[in-house]
Amino acid sequence: MMGEKEMNQEIKEKMIMPVLPIRGGIVLPGQLVPITITSEKAKSLVEDVLDDPDARVLAVAQKDPEKQAESIEDIYTIGTIVKIVKFFRDTSNNLRLIVEGMNPGKLINLIQTEPYMKGEVVELEIPPVDTKDPKVESLVNGIIKAFEEYVRISPMHTEDHVRKIKHIVSPIKLAHTVTSMLPAKVEEKQVILEELDPVEKLKKVLELVHRHIEMLRLSEKIQEKVREEFERTQKEYFLREQIKVIQKELGEEDVELEELEKKIETLPAHVKEVARRELNKLRRLQPISPEYHVVRTYLDWLVNMPWNVETQDNLDLKHARKVLDEDHYDLDKVKQRILEYLAVRKLKKDAKGAIMAFVGPPGVGKTSLGQSIARALGRKFIRISLGGIRDEAEIRGHRRTYVGALPGRIISAIRKVGVKNPVIMLDEVDKIGADFRGDPAAALLEVLDPEQNREFVDHYLEVPFDLSKVIFIATANTTVTIPPPLLDRMEIIDIPGYTVEDKIHIAMKHLIPREIENNGLKGYDIRFTEGAIRKIIEGYTREAGVRQLSREIASILRKIALRIAEDNVKQKRFVITEKSVKKYLGPEKFYSEVAERKGEVGVIIGLAWTPTGGDIIFIEALKMPGKGNLKLTGQLGDVMRESAEAAFSLVKANYSRWGIEDPKVFMENDVHVHVPAGAIPKDGPSAGISILMALISLFSGRAPKPYLAMTGEITLRGKVLPVGGIKEKVLAAKRAGVKEIILPKWNKKDLEEIPRESIRDIKFHFVDDVNEAYRIVFETS
């Protein structure tokens, strides 16, 4: 333990002094350093210490020169104790100082940060150096010789710098002086400052000098290469000019231009005329001219576009049906549409390409379906991602007047696949943006119009290209954000979410075999029971598609792969059962929200449609003393707010028939309707019936029937109108554990789209007016 005398000595060594953070630089002991003070804090510090000639300041380097130092974490704790030798103000009212470094100091603790930093500082002592020590002499001589070498190749230093350091007697001062003369980083100089052992300090300075010598030599080599390259380019230019003169004398033409001319002859007439004109211009230009390369690149695009190249469609309907069934389960509407297209092509050879839009939640296979369509037709496939693009030139290309101009994505894709009739997938068409550079969605209007796209003109090519034989397939999660004119040009095919049975089938037939191969387990007999897949779907995923299901299956297989690799398991057969799922994936991530909140007064389960599939929502109603005001929260849109106001009016107009005894309750209480998940915007009329039943439950004091959900728009006359997204809503209710659902009578037909086995455990009630719904919710006659 430290003795009392030593403790008192340490306390005496502590000094309270101002702390001056320095941006992008460092002060070393024994050095005179100019500093410009610009911050208000630093100005305040300097003005306070100027009156005291004996004042000392701890100058420390900032760790991040871009931000203001506010705490001890923003600065290095070891700096240099300095005194101000000279100061003056410049024309910008900034203080300019010259400070002299005294000794290194360590900041123990900050005792204030305003109006400037001040802290407890301990002066650090560097042990005395024996200048006659052979090791010290060797290091000093090495530093001087290395610095002489550095000055010899450095354009920033002169022999005066060498003479200056040769006259320095103190090895420590020599080390600090040489370090200050090098264009080293703050971090490198800080290492020298913090080193208190004289021999180690000299070693680090010697290493630093050698490192900068190497950097200068490398810089010289690079400059030499640049110079050689420039001379070589000049030489090539003169040689090319000589070759041109010789070829002209001999009557020979440029071989490269001859090849271009041959390719131009194979182009369609309207393209050939433009290409010849550009070729004549190219012949008149010097290769060194910037325009030469612009014209040459343009001709390359013209001659390499597949103006007359196309693949032959495979019109075998049985083959197409087989390919589509192999790659995707269900999706009968999409498969039927492709087969219809093939049938028309078989009967009418010059039929136009199809323009379809697959709309559905993520993970249902929209993108991969496009690849299957191309495979079934025997066509080439290319995908263009449109998500987030904001520039019209991305579609139409840039005009050649711009530097670095290129064609748009459509023409670039056509050239890449090398045929004029590929399947082009326009992915995420609902996420196109627009700004001052134009609207890409507007540019797509011509691309996706069968009457116009046979003469699509890209701004770069400036000649019409026939897109009429291309099959365009757009994908989107919702049609809400797609402009109506663009939506009108596409045939919308809805791809709804999958049922649990669909997912089990997809997992067994597609996902598990694919993930087994991806995880290197093809040589093993790995089986998932149906119960295990169902457990993963219901307990570990909550989605309309199968993307998360695929990830969870892959997670199980990776754990099996790890076990085989680590333990050298010779077992070849693995069976994943419902019970073993938890061992691989841990506790279940999802549970039935409905079971947690059943039978609460003023709470009703509603059904909602979202771009990612269906979902359930809880409508909560609460009353409190007030004056009959209605408050709505939960990021509700205008339509949903109007539905809530209609429901409130309907309750007040029909209170007696719905078990509410005193109408004064409406005037004496304020009502608050809230839809949880407040961070998510909600809108639409389909929550009308849910809000109405929540208000009836609130004012009558009766709890609704448990495990019951509903959806439907209401009118002021009490009618229940049909709504959309029924399949997604019903499947969401099934996932959440709902046992009964109230739907508008007009939506009964929509249940035909849902497989019966998926909804056999759910009881449906179809209602035409709110009184029917009331009797079901509160089980009254």
Side-chain angles (χ1 to χ4, degrees):
M1 292 181 64
M2 187 181 290
E4 187 177 343
K5 184 178 179 181
E6 290 172 311
M7 288 177 66
N8 291 334
Q9 185 180 358
E10 185 182 344
I11 292 169
K12 287 177 184 177
E13 288 175 353
K14 286 183 181 177
M15 298 175 285
I16 305 298
M17 66 173 63
V19 178
L20 177 62
I22 300 175
R23 295 185 183 185
I26 196 167
V27 180
L28 294 168
Q31 305 302 306
L32 288 172
V33 180
I35 299 175
T36 301
I37 303 296
T38 57
S39 74
E40 293 304 317
K41 279 190 175 185
K43 285 179 182 178
S44 179
L45 183 155
V46 173
E47 286 167 357
D48 277 4
V49 301
L50 281 177
D51 296 334
D52 183 1
D54 297 324
R56 298 292 182 265
V57 176
L58 180 67
V60 293
Q62 283 187 205
K63 292 179 180 176
D64 184 355
E66 299 299 323
K67 66 180 229 182
Q68 182 76 30
E70 300 290 346
S71 67
I72 198 167
E73 285 80 16
D74 298 331
I75 57 178
Y76 290 100
T77 54
I78 294 180
T80 302
I81 298 170
V82 303
K83 68 176 181 180
I84 299 173
V85 177
K86 189 177 180 182
F87 79 97
F88 64 92
R89 288 186 184 273
D90 62 15
T91 54
S92 302
N93 201 33
N94 293 325
L95 284 174
R96 294 188 179 272
L97 311 178
I98 295 178
V99 299
E100 181 181 0
M102 309 298 287
N103 289 313
K106 182 173 183 180
L107 177 62
I108 303 299
N109 182 35
L110 276 180
I111 60 173
Q112 74 171 45
T113 56
E114 297 294 340
Y116 52 81
M117 290 185 179
K118 186 180 283 188
E120 295 177 336
V121 178
V122 174
E123 186 174 332
L124 302 176
E125 291 188 8
I126 299 175
V129 188
D130 182 3
T131 55
K132 294 185 179 180
D133 184 341
K135 187 182 289 187
V136 173
E137 283 185 356
S138 174
L139 288 168
V140 168
N141 291 333
I143 291 171
I144 293 171
K145 286 181 181 177
F147 190 71
E148 284 180 326
E149 173 67 13
Y150 175 78
V151 168
R152 189 181 62 79
I153 58 177
S154 170
M156 300 171 62
H157 295 80
T158 65
E159 288 299 322
D160 290 339
H161 293 94
V162 178
R163 283 194 289 272
K164 180 180 176 181
I165 68 163
K166 283 184 176 180
H167 286 94
I168 297 174
V169 177
S170 167
I172 298 303
K173 187 173 182 181
L174 172 74
H176 289 153
T177 304
V178 170
T179 303
S180 66
M181 289 181 178
L182 294 173
K185 296 177 182 177
V186 171
E187 294 85 354
E188 293 175 320
K189 292 184 178 182
Q190 184 69 26
V191 170
I192 304 299
L193 175 62
E194 291 181 4
E195 182 57 67
L196 299 180
D197 182 272
V199 174
E200 288 300 316
K201 186 185 285 279
L202 291 168
K203 282 182 182 177
K204 287 179 178 177
V205 172
L206 183 58
E207 290 173 5
L208 187 63
V209 178
H210 279 300
R211 191 155 61 245
H212 279 269
I213 289 170
E214 289 303 315
M215 288 168 62
L216 277 177
R217 284 175 177 162
L218 182 61
S219 177
E220 275 191 338
K221 285 181 182 177
I222 293 170
Q223 289 177 7
E224 182 62 29
K225 284 183 180 179
V226 171
R227 190 162 50 251
E228 288 175 0
E229 182 66 23
F230 178 74
E231 290 173 356
R232 186 182 63 80
T233 306
Q234 289 290 96
K235 183 179 178 181
E236 284 182 0
Y237 170 73
F238 289 117
L239 288 173
R240 286 183 185 277
E241 290 300 307
Q242 289 175 354
I243 290 170
K244 275 189 175 182
V245 173
I246 294 169
Q247 284 180 336
K248 193 173 181 181
E249 290 296 324
L250 295 174
E252 296 177 356
E253 293 290 330
D254 190 333
V255 176
E256 189 179 353
L257 296 184
E258 271 187 12
E259 289 178 0
L260 268 177
E261 192 166 20
K262 286 178 183 177
K263 289 180 179 179
I264 287 170
E265 293 305 313
T266 64
L267 299 177
H270 68 288
V271 185
K272 191 187 298 184
E273 183 182 347
V274 175
R276 280 175 175 167
R277 188 167 61 244
E278 293 296 320
L279 182 62
N280 291 334
K281 184 194 294 184
L282 187 69
R283 285 191 170 120
R284 293 194 299 270
L285 293 170
Q286 300 292 335
I288 201 71
S289 166
E291 194 179 353
Y292 180 91
H293 299 286
V294 172
V295 176
R296 184 71 180 82
T297 304
Y298 176 65
L299 280 171
D300 274 341
W301 275 95
L302 282 182
V303 300
N304 288 302
M305 286 297 295
W307 301 97
N308 300 310
V309 182
E310 57 183 277
T311 52
Q312 194 69 29
D313 282 348
N314 186 343
L315 301 178
D316 186 344
L317 297 179
K318 288 182 180 178
H319 166 76
R321 191 186 296 274
K322 181 183 176 185
V323 169
L324 293 171
D325 287 339
E326 278 177 3
D327 292 350
H328 291 84
Y329 176 72
D330 198 18
L331 304 180
D332 293 331
K333 280 187 179 179
V334 184
K335 295 174 182 177
Q336 183 67 23
R337 179 63 185 86
I338 299 306
L339 294 174
E340 288 169 1
Y341 171 77
L342 281 176
V344 172
R345 285 278 292 139
K346 200 168 186 177
L347 298 173
K348 191 174 187 292
K349 301 298 182 185
D350 60 344
K352 296 174 183 175
I355 298 171
M356 296 174 280
F358 297 160
V359 180
V364 294
K366 300 185 293 294
T367 304
S368 60
L369 190 57
Q371 294 172 320
S372 296
I373 291 169
R375 193 161 75 90
L377 295 172
R379 291 195 180 194
K380 292 189 176 182
F381 174 85
I382 190 162
R383 172 181 167 272
I384 300 174
S385 178
L386 300 180
I389 70 166
R390 294 177 174 273
D391 189 353
E392 180 223 5
E394 294 274 2
I395 305 298
R396 283 189 168 278
H398 297 84
R399 298 192 184 278
R400 281 186 291 147
T401 51
Y402 294 104
V403 175
L406 283 173
R409 295 195 184 192
I410 303 296
I411 291 298
S412 296
I414 295 285
R415 178 182 172 177
K416 188 173 181 180
V417 292
V419 292
K420 63 184 291 186
N421 66 335
V423 174
I424 294 182
M425 174 151 282
L426 303 173
D427 222 357
E428 311 292 359
V429 75
D430 57 326
K431 297 174 181 63
I432 294 175
D435 62 11
F436 63 93
R437 291 168 291 186
D439 185 358
L444 279 174
L445 294 177
E446 181 184 357
V447 174
L448 299 180
D449 190 335
E451 301 303 321
Q452 298 181 47
N453 65 8
R454 63 173 56 254
E455 291 188 344
F456 172 70
V457 178
D458 184 275
H459 286 158
Y460 181 83
L461 291 186
E462 293 183 328
V463 286
F465 189 89
D466 184 6
L467 296 177
S468 63
K469 295 188 177 181
V470 176
I471 293 181
F472 287 101
I473 300 174
T475 71
N477 297 131
T478 177
T479 58
V480 174
T481 55
I482 302 175
L486 181 59
L487 198 62
D488 183 58
R489 282 164 167 76
M490 300 184 288
E491 180 182 349
I492 306 299
I493 299 176
D494 289 309
I495 304 181
Y498 294 116
T499 65
V500 173
E501 282 67 27
D502 289 343
K503 291 180 182 180
I504 290 171
H505 187 97
I506 292 167
M508 291 291 192
K509 188 176 179 183
H510 300 284
L511 303 183
I512 294 172
R514 185 184 70 195
E515 293 301 336
I516 285 174
E517 185 172 351
N518 289 347
N519 289 281
L521 298 170
K522 202 170 182 182
Y524 294 84
D525 182 11
I526 298 174
R527 298 182 185 180
F528 285 74
T529 65
E530 185 175 321
I533 298 298
R534 188 179 296 275
K535 184 75 172 175
I536 296 170
I537 293 167
E538 295 177 349
Y540 296 87
T541 67
R542 186 59 57 89
E543 60 178 345
V546 291
R547 199 167 282 156
Q548 186 60 32
L549 174 60
S550 180
R551 292 191 193 103
E552 298 296 341
I553 291 169
S555 178
I556 291 174
L557 293 174
R558 286 196 301 271
K559 288 177 174 62
I560 293 173
L562 179 63
R563 184 180 161 199
I564 292 170
E566 279 189 341
D567 302 335
N568 198 20
V569 176
K570 294 183 179 178
Q571 179 183 346
K572 286 284 186 180
R573 191 169 187 267
F574 296 88
V575 179
I576 293 86
T577 63
E578 185 176 349
K579 290 183 179 179
S580 63
V581 167
K582 188 175 180 180
K583 181 180 77 174
Y584 290 106
L585 298 180
E588 292 184 30
K589 298 175 183 176
F590 300 100
Y591 61 91
S592 171
E593 300 102 318
V594 177
E596 295 292 318
R597 303 186 63 167
K598 63 181 180 180
E600 293 183 49
V601 172
V603 179
I604 292 289
I605 303 168
L607 299 176
W609 178 91
T610 71
T612 57
D615 205 353
I616 66 166
I617 56 174
F618 291 94
I619 312 291
E620 300 178 342
L622 183 71
K623 64 180 179 180
M624 65 211 84
K627 297 181 180 180
N629 297 319
L630 176 64
K631 184 178 182 181
L632 304 169
T633 57
Q635 272 216 70
L636 309 185
D638 291 340
V639 177
M640 199 167 181
R641 286 176 173 274
E642 290 173 1
S643 294
E645 290 170 4
F648 195 35
S649 298
L650 203 53
V651 172
K652 289 193 283 188
N654 298 276
Y655 71 93
S656 58
R657 72 168 69 172
W658 290 335
I660 303 168
E661 297 176 358
D662 190 355
K664 291 181 181 177
V665 70
F666 299 115
M667 300 303 297
E668 295 171 352
N669 292 279
D670 287 343
V671 178
H672 186 170
V673 176
H674 177 67
V675 184
I680 302 170
K682 309 165 193 75
D683 205 0
S686 65
I689 192 169
S690 307
I691 297 172
L692 175 65
M693 294 303 148
L695 292 172
I696 293 173
S697 172
L698 175 68
F699 285 110
S700 66
R702 287 174 294 171
K705 193 175 184 180
Y707 300 105
L708 173 70
M710 62 197 73
T711 184
E713 182 180 356
I714 59 170
T715 70
L716 286 176
R717 296 297 178 184
K719 289 293 181 184
V720 181
L721 303 181
V723 292
I726 294 299
K727 180 175 181 180
E728 289 83 359
K729 292 176 179 178
V730 170
L731 293 179
K734 169 79 172 173
R735 289 195 299 268
V738 169
K739 294 179 181 176
E740 295 183 52
I741 298 177
I742 295 176
L743 294 175
K745 189 173 287 184
W746 284 92
N747 286 121
K748 187 173 182 179
K749 64 184 187 311
D750 294 315
L751 293 184
E752 295 174 8
E753 298 180 11
I754 310 173
R756 288 188 177 275
E757 61 272 14
S758 300
I759 54 174
R760 61 172 177 264
D761 298 330
I762 298 178
K763 183 178 180 181
F764 289 93
H765 305 276
F766 300 98
V767 300
D768 194 37
D769 65 62
V770 293
N771 290 312
E772 294 177 50
Y774 167 76
R775 289 192 286 271
I776 296 165
V777 173
F778 299 103
E779 300 181 281
T780 60
S781 57

